[in-house]
Amino acid sequence: MKSLIFIITLCIIAVFSQAATPLITLSQSQSHPEANESFKVNQAKSQNTASSCTYTVTIKTSCNSPSYTRDQISLAFGDAYGYQVYVPRLDDPRSGTFERCSTDTFQIHGPCTYQTCYLYLYRSGYDGWIPEQVTVYSYGYNPVTFYYNTYIPNGIWYGFDYCRGYLPSTAAEK
């Protein structure tokens, strides 16, 4: 009888530990980036300007990318509740940013968001930069990686939107 209770207890623990996993998991096989012609930066909810957070964003440039780029690269990411972080320009050709087969790390300050569930890149130029992946690290949430490994079209926001999988039940808790 004791062993039966032990087995049932382990099963209950296993079930509840599975419930603690993130609402979405982003993987290479889940989807491909898409153009979003209707995406607008800074059209998100306004937040208390005193509420500022720091994010670490790593961008790995593909080994299929040109050896360096003069393209202008912008970034926008956010959550399912309309909070958004926008960086108008990440590139700096003089510093060797976005060279082929390299990983660049950026410290970004912006409004606080909940779990990141969308990310778009904007490329302006003629070199044809190719990112492999972009990871967003934010305090209190699991890092999220968006897998590109494809050419970013010129002059359009291009990326992922996984926000539809989130439930707004935790919005008031933060």
Side-chain angles (χ1 to χ4, degrees):
M1 184 67 169
K2 286 182 180 181
S3 57
L4 179 61
I5 292 172
F6 179 71
I7 292 172
I8 292 172
T9 304
L10 287 178
C11 290
I12 291 171
I13 291 170
V15 166
F16 284 111
S17 68
Q18 291 297 320
T21 59
L23 291 172
I24 58 170
T25 301
L26 308 179
S27 67
Q28 277 180 300
S29 62
Q30 187 173 0
S31 184
H32 298 287
E34 297 177 351
N36 187 341
E37 294 178 19
S38 63
F39 181 75
K40 304 280 187 241
V41 294
N42 294 331
Q43 297 295 315
K45 287 183 184 178
S46 60
Q47 261 185 310
N48 180 353
T49 55
S51 171
S52 180
C53 290
T54 300
Y55 304 89
T56 300
V57 175
T58 60
I59 301 177
K60 183 175 182 184
T61 297
S62 171
C63 293
N64 294 324
S65 192
S67 58
Y68 70 93
T69 187
R70 295 163 296 196
D71 293 346
Q72 296 177 11
I73 309 298
S74 300
L75 167 77
F77 62 89
D79 64 25
Y81 309 106
Y83 300 115
Q84 181 185 91
V85 176
Y86 168 60
V87 183
R89 195 156 178 195
L90 289 170
D91 57 284
D92 182 2
R94 293 169 288 168
S95 70
T97 308
F98 303 130
E99 290 182 345
R100 180 187 303 149
C101 298
S102 69
T103 300
D104 296 290
T105 302
F106 304 91
Q107 294 296 314
I108 297 171
H109 302 282
C112 296
T113 67
Y114 296 94
Q115 178 70 57
T116 300
C117 60
Y118 73 84
L119 184 136
Y120 289 101
L121 294 170
Y122 186 93
R123 183 185 68 80
S124 177
Y126 300 100
D127 292 334
W129 174 69
I130 303 172
E132 186 171 308
Q133 67 185 44
V134 180
T135 303
V136 178
Y137 300 86
S138 56
Y139 181 76
Y141 295 99
N142 291 329
V144 181
T145 300
F146 298 87
Y147 296 94
Y148 279 82
N149 208 25
T150 189
Y151 170 82
I152 302 295
N154 186 43
I156 191 161
W157 287 101
Y158 196 70
F160 300 88
D161 184 352
Y162 295 110
C163 294
R164 293 176 297 273
Y166 277 92
L167 301 174
S169 61
T170 59
E173 295 176 11
K174 189 166 181 182

